[in-house]
Each structure stands twice: as structure tokens, then as C-alpha cells.
Amino acid sequence: MALEETIYISQFNIMPNGTIGVQKTTNITKDGVVISSSYWRCVLAPNDPQATTVLDEQYYLDIANYAWSQTSPQPYVPYVPPVTTEVLETTTE
């Protein structure tokens, strides 16, 4: 009755804007049968400093670095929330 934990990259999607969606799966097996699975997701921006930590397999890291070295058909534009100078009025009664 040995329990084993296996973690692997189950999805690796390169988007047109250069970001990469990663899903990791953790399987717990008992005597070779999966008894539990959990999932973790993230999105890596081009040249993301967390890539080496998230993509702990050299194969996927090499693909990511190659994809980020190419010209993207829809360049990645980081979201910057708009700055407002609007003042909200409050009333007390």
C-alpha cells in the first residue's frame, strides 16, 4: 500500500500575444491507481523571471525561450489600470 505523488506539466499553451499558459497536475497513486488529482495553473508573460521555477523541465523552458525570441503576431501589452483623479463624495446623515 505505497502512496506516490507525481507532478507533471499537463498543459502548455503558447498564446498569440506571447504569453504561455501552464497547468500542472499532481496525482496521488496507491498501488499504481490514481486516487487523487489536483491542478495548478499560471500564465507566464514573455521573459517572465518565474519561468525557470514554473517550467522545471528543460524541454518546456527551451520551448518557452524559443517562443519568446520570435516576433509575436499580437504583441503582449501589460495591463496598466487607468489612473483617475475623480473624487468620490460621501454624505453622512
Side-chain angles (χ1 to χ4, degrees):
M1 291 178 49
L3 293 178
E4 290 186 26
E5 178 183 76
T6 306
I7 301 172
Y8 59 94
I9 295 174
S10 53
Q11 285 188 13
F12 184 87
N13 301 311
I14 301 172
M15 306 309 239
N17 66 358
T19 60
I20 298 175
V22 178
Q23 176 181 294
K24 286 189 174 186
T25 300
T26 302
N27 285 338
I28 306 296
T29 57
K30 179 179 177 183
D31 298 327
V33 177
V34 176
I35 60 171
S36 176
S37 292
S38 63
Y39 305 95
W40 177 83
R41 291 181 182 269
C42 76
V43 175
L44 299 171
N47 302 308
D48 197 313
Q50 293 297 317
T52 54
T53 304
V54 173
L55 303 173
D56 50 0
E57 296 177 40
Q58 190 63 45
Y59 173 79
Y60 289 107
L61 188 56
D62 289 345
I63 294 172
N65 286 326
Y66 177 77
W68 289 333
S69 71
Q70 304 303 304
T71 303
S72 176
Q74 297 174 354
Y76 174 72
V77 180
Y79 174 74
V80 178
V83 177
T84 61
T85 56
E86 181 180 324
V87 177
L88 300 176
E89 293 183 26
T90 58
T91 59
T92 57
E93 293 182 23

Coordinates of all heavy atoms in Angstrom, one line a residue:
M1 N 0.8 -1.2 0.0 CA 0.0 0.0 0.0 C 0.9 1.3 0.0 O 0.9 2.0 0.9 CB -0.9 0.0 1.2 CG -2.0 -1.1 1.1 SD -3.1 -1.2 2.5 CE -3.7 0.4 2.8
A2 N 1.6 1.4 -1.1 CA 2.5 2.6 -1.2 C 1.8 3.7 -1.9 O 1.2 3.5 -2.9 CB 3.8 2.2 -1.9
L3 N 1.9 4.9 -1.3 CA 1.4 6.1 -1.9 C 2.5 6.8 -2.6 O 3.6 6.9 -2.1 CB 0.8 7.0 -0.9 CG -0.5 6.6 -0.1 CD1 -0.9 7.6 0.9 CD2 -1.6 6.3 -1.1
E4 N 2.2 7.3 -3.8 CA 3.2 8.0 -4.6 C 2.6 9.3 -5.1 O 1.4 9.4 -5.4 CB 3.7 7.2 -5.8 CG 4.6 6.1 -5.4 CD 5.1 5.4 -6.7 OE1 5.3 6.1 -7.7 OE2 5.4 4.2 -6.6
E5 N 3.4 10.4 -5.1 CA 3.0 11.7 -5.7 C 3.8 11.9 -7.0 O 5.0 11.8 -7.0 CB 3.2 12.8 -4.7 CG 2.9 14.2 -5.2 CD 3.2 15.3 -4.2 OE1 4.4 15.6 -4.1 OE2 2.3 15.7 -3.5
T6 N 3.0 12.3 -8.0 CA 3.7 12.6 -9.3 C 3.2 14.0 -9.7 O 1.9 14.2 -9.8 CB 3.3 11.6 -10.4 OG1 3.6 10.3 -9.9 CG2 4.0 11.8 -11.7
I7 N 4.1 14.9 -10.0 CA 3.7 16.2 -10.5 C 4.3 16.3 -11.9 O 5.5 16.0 -12.2 CB 4.3 17.3 -9.6 CG1 3.8 17.2 -8.2 CG2 4.0 18.7 -10.2 CD1 4.5 18.1 -7.2
Y8 N 3.4 16.8 -12.9 CA 3.9 17.0 -14.3 C 3.1 18.1 -14.9 O 2.0 18.5 -14.5 CB 3.7 15.7 -15.0 CG 2.3 15.1 -15.1 CD1 1.5 15.5 -16.2 CD2 1.8 14.3 -14.1 CE1 0.2 15.0 -16.3 CE2 0.5 13.9 -14.1 CZ -0.3 14.2 -15.2 OH -1.6 13.7 -15.3
I9 N 3.7 18.6 -16.0 CA 3.0 19.7 -16.8 C 2.0 19.0 -17.7 O 2.4 18.2 -18.5 CB 4.0 20.5 -17.6 CG1 4.9 21.3 -16.6 CG2 3.3 21.4 -18.5 CD1 6.1 22.0 -17.3
S10 N 0.7 19.3 -17.5 CA -0.3 18.6 -18.3 C -0.9 19.5 -19.4 O -1.5 19.0 -20.3 CB -1.4 18.2 -17.3 OG -1.9 19.3 -16.5
Q11 N -0.6 20.8 -19.3 CA -1.0 21.7 -20.4 C 0.1 22.8 -20.6 O 0.6 23.3 -19.6 CB -2.3 22.4 -20.2 CG -3.5 21.5 -20.3 CD -4.8 22.3 -20.2 OE1 -4.8 23.5 -20.3 NE2 -5.9 21.6 -20.1
F12 N 0.4 23.1 -21.8 CA 1.4 24.1 -22.1 C 0.9 24.8 -23.4 O 1.0 24.2 -24.5 CB 2.8 23.4 -22.4 CG 3.9 24.4 -22.6 CD1 4.6 24.9 -21.6 CD2 4.3 24.7 -23.9 CE1 5.7 25.8 -21.8 CE2 5.3 25.5 -24.2 CZ 6.0 26.1 -23.1
N13 N 0.4 26.0 -23.3 CA -0.2 26.7 -24.4 C 0.4 28.0 -24.7 O 0.4 28.9 -23.8 CB -1.7 26.9 -24.1 CG -2.5 25.6 -23.9 OD1 -2.3 24.7 -24.6 ND2 -3.2 25.5 -22.8
I14 N 1.0 28.2 -25.9 CA 1.5 29.4 -26.3 C 0.5 30.2 -27.0 O -0.1 29.8 -28.0 CB 2.7 29.2 -27.2 CG1 3.8 28.4 -26.5 CG2 3.3 30.6 -27.7 CD1 5.0 28.0 -27.4
M15 N 0.2 31.4 -26.5 CA -0.9 32.3 -27.0 C -0.3 33.2 -28.0 O 0.9 33.5 -28.0 CB -1.5 33.1 -25.8 CG -2.0 32.2 -24.7 SD -3.0 30.8 -25.3 CE -4.5 31.2 -24.4
P16 N -1.2 33.8 -28.9 CA -0.7 34.7 -30.0 C 0.0 35.9 -29.4 O 0.9 36.5 -30.1 CB -2.0 35.1 -30.7 CG -2.9 33.9 -30.5 CD -2.6 33.5 -29.1
N17 N -0.3 36.3 -28.2 CA 0.3 37.5 -27.7 C 1.6 37.2 -27.0 O 2.3 38.1 -26.3 CB -0.6 38.3 -26.7 CG -0.9 37.5 -25.5 OD1 -0.5 36.4 -25.3 ND2 -1.7 38.1 -24.6
G18 N 2.1 36.0 -27.0 CA 3.4 35.6 -26.4 C 3.3 35.0 -25.0 O 4.3 34.6 -24.5
T19 N 2.2 35.1 -24.4 CA 2.1 34.6 -23.0 C 1.9 33.1 -23.1 O 1.6 32.5 -24.2 CB 0.9 35.1 -22.3 OG1 -0.3 34.8 -23.0 CG2 1.0 36.6 -22.1
I20 N 2.3 32.4 -22.1 CA 2.2 30.9 -22.1 C 1.4 30.5 -20.9 O 1.7 30.8 -19.7 CB 3.6 30.3 -22.0 CG1 4.4 30.7 -23.2 CG2 3.6 28.8 -21.8 CD1 5.9 30.2 -23.2
G21 N 0.3 29.7 -21.2 CA -0.5 29.1 -20.1 C 0.0 27.8 -19.7 O 0.3 26.9 -20.6
V22 N 0.2 27.6 -18.4 CA 0.8 26.3 -17.9 C -0.2 25.7 -16.9 O -0.7 26.4 -16.1 CB 2.2 26.6 -17.2 CG1 2.7 25.3 -16.7 CG2 3.2 27.2 -18.2
Q23 N -0.4 24.4 -17.0 CA -1.2 23.7 -16.0 C -0.3 22.6 -15.5 O 0.2 21.8 -16.3 CB -2.5 23.2 -16.5 CG -3.2 22.3 -15.5 CD -4.5 21.8 -16.0 OE1 -5.4 22.5 -16.3 NE2 -4.6 20.5 -16.2
K24 N -0.2 22.4 -14.2 CA 0.5 21.3 -13.6 C -0.5 20.4 -12.9 O -1.5 20.9 -12.3 CB 1.6 21.7 -12.6 CG 2.8 22.3 -13.3 CD 3.9 22.5 -12.3 CE 5.2 23.0 -12.9 NZ 6.3 23.0 -12.0
T25 N -0.3 19.1 -13.0 CA -1.2 18.2 -12.4 C -0.4 17.4 -11.3 O 0.7 17.0 -11.6 CB -1.8 17.2 -13.4 OG1 -2.5 17.9 -14.4 CG2 -2.7 16.1 -12.7
T26 N -1.0 17.2 -10.2 CA -0.4 16.4 -9.1 C -1.3 15.2 -8.9 O -2.5 15.3 -8.6 CB -0.3 17.2 -7.8 OG1 0.5 18.3 -8.0 CG2 0.3 16.3 -6.7
N27 N -0.8 14.0 -9.2 CA -1.5 12.8 -9.0 C -1.0 12.0 -7.8 O 0.2 11.9 -7.6 CB -1.4 11.8 -10.2 CG -2.2 12.3 -11.4 OD1 -3.2 13.0 -11.2 ND2 -1.9 11.9 -12.6
I28 N -1.9 11.6 -6.9 CA -1.6 10.7 -5.8 C -2.0 9.3 -6.2 O -3.2 9.1 -6.6 CB -2.3 11.1 -4.5 CG1 -2.0 12.6 -4.2 CG2 -1.9 10.2 -3.4 CD1 -0.5 12.9 -3.9
T29 N -1.1 8.3 -6.2 CA -1.4 7.0 -6.6 C -1.2 6.0 -5.4 O -0.4 6.2 -4.6 CB -0.6 6.5 -7.8 OG1 0.8 6.6 -7.4 CG2 -0.8 7.3 -9.0
K30 N -2.1 5.0 -5.4 CA -2.0 4.0 -4.4 C -1.9 2.7 -5.1 O -2.9 2.3 -5.8 CB -3.2 4.0 -3.4 CG -3.2 3.0 -2.3 CD -4.4 3.1 -1.4 CE -4.4 2.0 -0.4 NZ -5.7 2.1 0.4
D31 N -0.9 2.0 -5.0 CA -0.7 0.7 -5.7 C -0.9 0.9 -7.2 O -1.5 0.0 -7.8 CB -1.6 -0.4 -5.1 CG -1.3 -0.7 -3.7 OD1 -0.1 -0.6 -3.3 OD2 -2.2 -1.0 -2.9
G32 N -0.4 2.0 -7.7 CA -0.5 2.2 -9.2 C -1.8 2.8 -9.7 O -1.9 3.0 -10.9
V33 N -2.8 3.0 -8.8 CA -4.1 3.6 -9.2 C -4.2 5.0 -8.7 O -3.9 5.3 -7.5 CB -5.2 2.7 -8.6 CG1 -6.6 3.3 -9.0 CG2 -5.1 1.3 -9.1
V34 N -4.6 5.9 -9.6 CA -4.7 7.3 -9.2 C -5.9 7.4 -8.2 O -7.0 7.1 -8.6 CB -4.9 8.2 -10.4 CG1 -5.2 9.7 -10.0 CG2 -3.7 8.2 -11.3
I35 N -5.7 7.9 -7.0 CA -6.8 8.1 -6.1 C -7.1 9.6 -5.8 O -8.2 9.9 -5.3 CB -6.5 7.4 -4.7 CG1 -5.2 8.0 -4.1 CG2 -6.3 5.9 -4.9 CD1 -4.9 7.5 -2.7
S36 N -6.2 10.5 -6.3 CA -6.5 11.9 -6.2 C -5.7 12.7 -7.2 O -4.6 12.3 -7.5 CB -6.1 12.3 -4.8 OG -6.2 13.7 -4.6
S37 N -6.3 13.8 -7.7 CA -5.6 14.7 -8.6 C -5.9 16.1 -8.2 O -7.0 16.4 -7.8 CB -6.1 14.4 -10.1 OG -5.7 13.2 -10.5
S38 N -4.9 16.9 -8.3 CA -5.1 18.4 -8.1 C -4.4 19.1 -9.2 O -3.5 18.6 -9.9 CB -4.6 18.8 -6.7 OG -3.3 18.6 -6.6
Y39 N -4.9 20.3 -9.5 CA -4.4 21.1 -10.6 C -3.9 22.5 -10.2 O -4.5 23.1 -9.3 CB -5.4 21.2 -11.7 CG -6.0 19.9 -12.1 CD1 -7.1 19.4 -11.5 CD2 -5.3 19.1 -13.1 CE1 -7.6 18.1 -11.9 CE2 -5.8 17.9 -13.4 CZ -6.9 17.4 -12.8 OH -7.4 16.2 -13.2
W40 N -2.9 23.0 -10.8 CA -2.4 24.3 -10.6 C -2.1 25.0 -11.9 O -1.6 24.4 -12.8 CB -1.1 24.2 -9.8 CG -0.4 25.5 -9.5 CD1 -0.7 26.4 -8.5 CD2 0.6 26.1 -10.2 NE1 0.1 27.5 -8.6 CE2 1.0 27.3 -9.6 CE3 1.4 25.7 -11.4 CZ2 2.0 28.2 -10.1 CZ3 2.4 26.5 -11.8 CH2 2.7 27.7 -11.2
R41 N -2.6 26.3 -12.1 CA -2.4 27.0 -13.3 C -1.7 28.3 -13.1 O -1.8 28.9 -12.1 CB -3.8 27.3 -14.0 CG -4.5 26.2 -14.5 CD -5.8 26.8 -15.1 NE -6.6 25.7 -15.5 CZ -6.6 25.2 -16.8 NH1 -5.8 25.7 -17.6 NH2 -7.4 24.2 -17.1
C42 N -1.0 28.8 -14.2 CA -0.5 30.1 -14.2 C -0.3 30.6 -15.6 O -0.3 29.7 -16.5 CB 0.8 30.2 -13.4 SG 2.2 29.6 -14.2
V43 N -0.1 31.8 -15.8 CA 0.2 32.4 -17.1 C 1.5 33.1 -17.0 O 1.7 34.0 -16.1 CB -0.9 33.3 -17.6 CG1 -0.5 34.0 -18.9 CG2 -2.2 32.6 -17.8
L44 N 2.5 32.8 -17.9 CA 3.8 33.4 -17.9 C 3.8 34.5 -19.0 O 3.5 34.2 -20.1 CB 4.9 32.4 -18.2 CG 5.0 31.3 -17.1 CD1 6.0 30.2 -17.6 CD2 5.4 31.8 -15.8
A45 N 4.2 35.7 -18.6 CA 4.4 36.8 -19.6 C 5.8 36.5 -20.3 O 6.6 35.8 -19.8 CB 4.4 38.1 -18.9
P46 N 5.9 37.1 -21.5 CA 7.2 37.0 -22.2 C 8.4 37.3 -21.3 O 8.4 38.3 -20.6 CB 7.1 37.9 -23.3 CG 5.6 38.0 -23.6 CD 5.0 37.9 -22.3
N47 N 9.4 36.4 -21.3 CA 10.6 36.5 -20.5 C 10.3 36.7 -19.0 O 11.1 37.3 -18.3 CB 11.5 37.7 -21.0 CG 11.8 37.4 -22.5 OD1 12.3 36.4 -22.8 ND2 11.6 38.4 -23.3
D48 N 9.3 36.0 -18.5 CA 8.9 36.0 -17.1 C 10.0 35.5 -16.3 O 10.5 34.4 -16.5 CB 7.6 35.2 -16.9 CG 6.9 35.5 -15.7 OD1 7.6 35.5 -14.6 OD2 5.7 35.6 -15.7
P49 N 10.4 36.2 -15.2 CA 11.5 35.7 -14.3 C 11.1 34.4 -13.6 O 12.0 33.7 -13.1 CB 11.8 36.8 -13.4 CG 10.6 37.7 -13.5 CD 10.0 37.5 -14.8
Q50 N 9.8 34.1 -13.5 CA 9.4 32.9 -12.8 C 9.4 31.7 -13.7 O 9.1 30.6 -13.2 CB 8.0 33.1 -12.2 CG 7.9 34.1 -11.1 CD 8.7 33.7 -9.9 OE1 8.7 32.5 -9.5 NE2 9.4 34.6 -9.3
A51 N 9.8 31.8 -14.9 CA 9.7 30.7 -15.9 C 10.6 29.5 -15.5 O 10.1 28.4 -15.6 CB 10.1 31.2 -17.3
T52 N 11.8 29.8 -15.0 CA 12.6 28.7 -14.6 C 12.1 27.9 -13.4 O 12.3 26.7 -13.3 CB 14.1 29.2 -14.2 OG1 14.0 30.2 -13.3 CG2 14.7 29.7 -15.5
T53 N 11.3 28.6 -12.5 CA 10.7 27.9 -11.4 C 9.5 27.1 -11.8 O 9.4 25.9 -11.4 CB 10.3 28.9 -10.3 OG1 11.5 29.7 -10.0 CG2 9.8 28.2 -9.1
V54 N 8.6 27.7 -12.6 CA 7.4 27.1 -13.1 C 7.7 25.9 -14.0 O 7.2 24.8 -13.9 CB 6.4 28.1 -13.7 CG1 5.2 27.4 -14.3 CG2 6.0 29.1 -12.6
L55 N 8.5 26.2 -15.0 CA 8.9 25.2 -16.1 C 10.1 24.5 -15.6 O 11.2 24.7 -16.2 CB 9.1 25.9 -17.4 CG 7.9 26.8 -17.9 CD1 8.3 27.5 -19.2 CD2 6.7 25.9 -18.2
D56 N 10.0 23.6 -14.7 CA 11.1 22.9 -14.1 C 11.7 21.8 -15.0 O 12.6 21.1 -14.6 CB 10.8 22.4 -12.7 CG 9.5 21.6 -12.7 OD1 8.9 21.5 -13.7 OD2 9.1 21.2 -11.6
E57 N 11.1 21.6 -16.1 CA 11.6 20.7 -17.1 C 12.3 21.5 -18.3 O 11.6 22.3 -18.9 CB 10.5 19.8 -17.7 CG 9.8 19.0 -16.6 CD 8.6 18.2 -17.2 OE1 8.7 17.7 -18.3 OE2 7.6 18.1 -16.5
Q58 N 13.5 21.2 -18.6 CA 14.3 21.9 -19.6 C 13.6 21.9 -20.9 O 13.6 22.9 -21.6 CB 15.7 21.3 -19.7 CG 16.6 22.2 -20.5 CD 16.9 23.6 -19.9 OE1 17.1 23.7 -18.7 NE2 16.8 24.6 -20.7
Y59 N 12.9 20.9 -21.3 CA 12.2 20.8 -22.5 C 11.2 21.9 -22.7 O 11.2 22.6 -23.7 CB 11.5 19.4 -22.6 CG 10.5 19.3 -23.8 CD1 11.1 18.9 -25.0 CD2 9.2 19.4 -23.7 CE1 10.2 18.8 -26.1 CE2 8.3 19.3 -24.7 CZ 8.8 19.0 -26.0 OH 8.0 18.8 -27.1
Y60 N 10.4 22.2 -21.7 CA 9.4 23.2 -21.8 C 10.0 24.6 -21.7 O 9.6 25.6 -22.3 CB 8.3 23.1 -20.7 CG 7.4 21.9 -20.9 CD1 7.5 20.8 -20.2 CD2 6.5 22.0 -21.9 CE1 6.7 19.7 -20.4 CE2 5.6 20.9 -22.2 CZ 5.7 19.7 -21.4 OH 4.9 18.7 -21.6
L61 N 11.1 24.7 -20.9 CA 11.8 26.0 -20.8 C 12.4 26.4 -22.1 O 12.4 27.6 -22.5 CB 12.9 25.9 -19.7 CG 13.6 27.2 -19.3 CD1 12.5 28.3 -18.9 CD2 14.6 27.0 -18.2
D62 N 13.0 25.4 -22.8 CA 13.6 25.7 -24.1 C 12.5 26.2 -25.1 O 12.7 27.1 -25.9 CB 14.3 24.4 -24.7 CG 15.6 24.1 -24.0 OD1 16.1 25.0 -23.2 OD2 16.0 23.0 -24.1
I63 N 11.3 25.5 -25.1 CA 10.2 25.9 -26.0 C 9.8 27.3 -25.7 O 9.6 28.2 -26.6 CB 9.0 25.0 -25.9 CG1 9.4 23.6 -26.5 CG2 7.8 25.5 -26.7 CD1 8.4 22.5 -26.2
A64 N 9.6 27.7 -24.4 CA 9.2 29.0 -24.0 C 10.2 30.0 -24.4 O 9.8 31.1 -25.0 CB 9.1 29.1 -22.4
N65 N 11.5 29.8 -24.2 CA 12.5 30.8 -24.6 C 12.5 30.9 -26.1 O 12.7 32.1 -26.6 CB 13.9 30.3 -24.1 CG 14.0 30.5 -22.6 OD1 13.5 31.5 -22.1 ND2 14.8 29.7 -22.0
Y66 N 12.3 29.9 -26.9 CA 12.3 30.0 -28.3 C 11.0 30.8 -28.7 O 11.1 31.7 -29.6 CB 12.2 28.6 -29.0 CG 12.0 28.7 -30.5 CD1 13.1 29.1 -31.3 CD2 10.8 28.6 -31.1 CE1 13.0 29.2 -32.7 CE2 10.7 28.7 -32.5 CZ 11.8 29.0 -33.3 OH 11.6 29.2 -34.6
A67 N 9.9 30.5 -28.1 CA 8.7 31.3 -28.5 C 8.8 32.8 -28.2 O 8.4 33.6 -28.9 CB 7.5 30.7 -27.7
W68 N 9.5 33.1 -27.0 CA 9.7 34.5 -26.7 C 10.7 35.2 -27.5 O 10.7 36.4 -27.5 CB 10.0 34.6 -25.2 CG 8.8 34.2 -24.3 CD1 7.5 34.4 -24.6 CD2 8.9 33.7 -23.0 NE1 6.8 33.9 -23.5 CE2 7.6 33.5 -22.5 CE3 10.0 33.3 -22.1 CZ2 7.3 33.0 -21.2 CZ3 9.7 32.8 -20.9 CH2 8.3 32.6 -20.4
S69 N 11.5 34.4 -28.2 CA 12.5 35.1 -29.1 C 12.0 35.4 -30.5 O 12.6 36.1 -31.2 CB 13.7 34.1 -29.3 OG 13.4 33.0 -30.1
Q70 N 10.7 34.9 -30.8 CA 10.1 35.2 -32.0 C 9.2 36.4 -32.0 O 8.7 36.8 -30.9 CB 9.3 34.0 -32.5 CG 10.0 32.7 -32.5 CD 11.2 32.8 -33.5 OE1 11.1 33.1 -34.6 NE2 12.4 32.5 -33.0
T71 N 8.9 37.0 -33.1 CA 8.0 38.1 -33.2 C 6.6 37.6 -33.0 O 6.2 36.7 -33.7 CB 8.1 38.9 -34.5 OG1 9.5 39.3 -34.7 CG2 7.2 40.1 -34.5
S72 N 5.9 38.2 -32.0 CA 4.5 37.8 -31.7 C 3.5 38.4 -32.7 O 3.6 39.6 -33.0 CB 4.2 38.2 -30.3 OG 2.9 37.9 -30.0
P73 N 2.5 37.7 -33.2 CA 1.5 38.3 -34.1 C 0.6 39.3 -33.4 O 0.1 40.2 -34.0 CB 0.7 37.1 -34.6 CG 1.0 36.0 -33.7 CD 2.3 36.2 -33.0
Q74 N 0.5 39.1 -32.0 CA -0.3 40.1 -31.2 C 0.6 40.4 -30.0 O 0.5 39.8 -29.0 CB -1.6 39.5 -30.7 CG -2.5 39.1 -31.8 CD -3.7 38.3 -31.2 OE1 -3.8 38.0 -30.1 NE2 -4.7 38.1 -32.1
P75 N 1.5 41.5 -30.1 CA 2.4 41.8 -29.1 C 1.7 41.9 -27.7 O 0.6 42.4 -27.6 CB 3.0 43.1 -29.5 CG 2.9 43.1 -31.0 CD 1.6 42.4 -31.2
Y76 N 2.4 41.4 -26.7 CA 1.9 41.4 -25.3 C 2.0 42.9 -24.8 O 3.0 43.5 -24.9 CB 2.8 40.5 -24.4 CG 2.5 40.6 -23.0 CD1 1.3 40.1 -22.5 CD2 3.3 41.3 -22.1 CE1 1.0 40.1 -21.1 CE2 3.0 41.3 -20.7 CZ 1.8 40.8 -20.3 OH 1.5 40.9 -18.9
V77 N 0.9 43.4 -24.3 CA 0.8 44.7 -23.7 C 0.4 44.5 -22.3 O -0.8 44.1 -22.1 CB -0.1 45.6 -24.5 CG1 -0.2 47.0 -23.9 CG2 0.3 45.7 -26.0
P78 N 1.2 44.8 -21.3 CA 0.8 44.6 -19.9 C -0.3 45.5 -19.6 O -0.4 46.7 -20.1 CB 2.1 45.0 -19.1 CG 3.2 44.9 -20.1 CD 2.6 45.2 -21.5
Y79 N -1.2 45.0 -18.8 CA -2.4 45.8 -18.4 C -1.9 46.8 -17.3 O -1.3 46.5 -16.3 CB -3.5 44.9 -17.8 CG -4.6 45.7 -17.2 CD1 -5.5 46.4 -18.1 CD2 -4.8 45.9 -15.9 CE1 -6.6 47.1 -17.5 CE2 -5.8 46.6 -15.3 CZ -6.7 47.3 -16.2 OH -7.8 48.0 -15.6
V80 N -2.3 48.1 -17.6 CA -2.0 49.1 -16.6 C -3.3 49.8 -16.2 O -4.0 50.3 -17.1 CB -1.0 50.2 -17.2 CG1 -0.8 51.3 -16.1 CG2 0.3 49.6 -17.6
P81 N -3.8 49.6 -15.0 CA -5.1 50.2 -14.6 C -5.1 51.7 -14.8 O -4.0 52.4 -14.6 CB -5.2 49.9 -13.2 CG -3.9 49.3 -12.7 CD -3.1 49.0 -13.9
P82 N -6.2 52.3 -15.3 CA -6.2 53.7 -15.5 C -6.1 54.5 -14.2 O -6.6 54.0 -13.2 CB -7.6 53.9 -16.2 CG -8.4 52.7 -15.8 CD -7.4 51.6 -15.6
V83 N -5.5 55.6 -14.3 CA -5.4 56.5 -13.1 C -6.5 57.5 -13.2 O -6.7 58.1 -14.2 CB -4.0 57.2 -13.1 CG1 -3.9 58.2 -12.0 CG2 -2.9 56.2 -13.1
T84 N -7.2 57.6 -12.1 CA -8.3 58.5 -12.1 C -8.1 59.6 -11.0 O -7.4 59.3 -10.0 CB -9.7 57.9 -11.8 OG1 -9.6 57.2 -10.5 CG2 -10.0 56.8 -12.8
T85 N -8.6 60.8 -11.3 CA -8.4 61.9 -10.4 C -9.8 62.2 -9.8 O -10.0 63.2 -9.1 CB -7.8 63.1 -11.0 OG1 -8.6 63.5 -12.2 CG2 -6.4 62.8 -11.5
E86 N -10.8 61.3 -10.1 CA -12.1 61.6 -9.7 C -12.2 61.4 -8.1 O -11.7 60.5 -7.6 CB -13.0 60.5 -10.3 CG -14.5 60.6 -10.0 CD -15.3 59.6 -10.7 OE1 -15.0 59.2 -11.8 OE2 -16.2 59.1 -10.1
V87 N -12.9 62.3 -7.5 CA -13.1 62.3 -6.1 C -14.5 61.9 -5.8 O -15.5 62.4 -6.3 CB -12.8 63.7 -5.4 CG1 -13.1 63.6 -3.9 CG2 -11.4 64.1 -5.7
L88 N -14.7 60.8 -5.0 CA -16.0 60.4 -4.6 C -16.5 61.2 -3.4 O -15.8 61.4 -2.5 CB -15.9 58.9 -4.3 CG -15.4 58.0 -5.4 CD1 -15.4 56.5 -4.9 CD2 -16.4 58.0 -6.6
E89 N -17.8 61.6 -3.6 CA -18.3 62.3 -2.5 C -19.1 61.4 -1.5 O -19.7 60.5 -1.9 CB -19.4 63.3 -3.0 CG -18.7 64.4 -3.8 CD -19.7 65.5 -4.3 OE1 -20.8 65.6 -3.7 OE2 -19.4 66.1 -5.4
T90 N -18.9 61.7 -0.2 CA -19.6 60.9 0.7 C -20.5 61.8 1.6 O -20.2 63.0 1.8 CB -18.7 60.1 1.7 OG1 -17.8 61.1 2.3 CG2 -17.8 59.1 0.9
T91 N -21.6 61.3 2.0 CA -22.5 62.1 2.8 C -22.8 61.4 4.1 O -22.9 60.2 4.1 CB -23.8 62.5 2.1 OG1 -24.5 61.2 1.8 CG2 -23.6 63.3 0.8
T92 N -23.0 62.1 5.1 CA -23.3 61.5 6.4 C -24.6 62.2 6.9 O -24.8 63.4 6.7 CB -22.3 61.7 7.5 OG1 -22.0 63.1 7.6 CG2 -21.0 61.0 7.1
E93 N -25.5 61.4 7.3 CA -26.8 61.9 7.8 C -27.1 61.5 9.2 O -26.7 60.5 9.7 CB -27.9 61.4 6.9 CG -27.8 62.0 5.5 CD -28.9 61.5 4.6 OE1 -30.0 61.1 5.1 OE2 -28.7 61.5 3.4

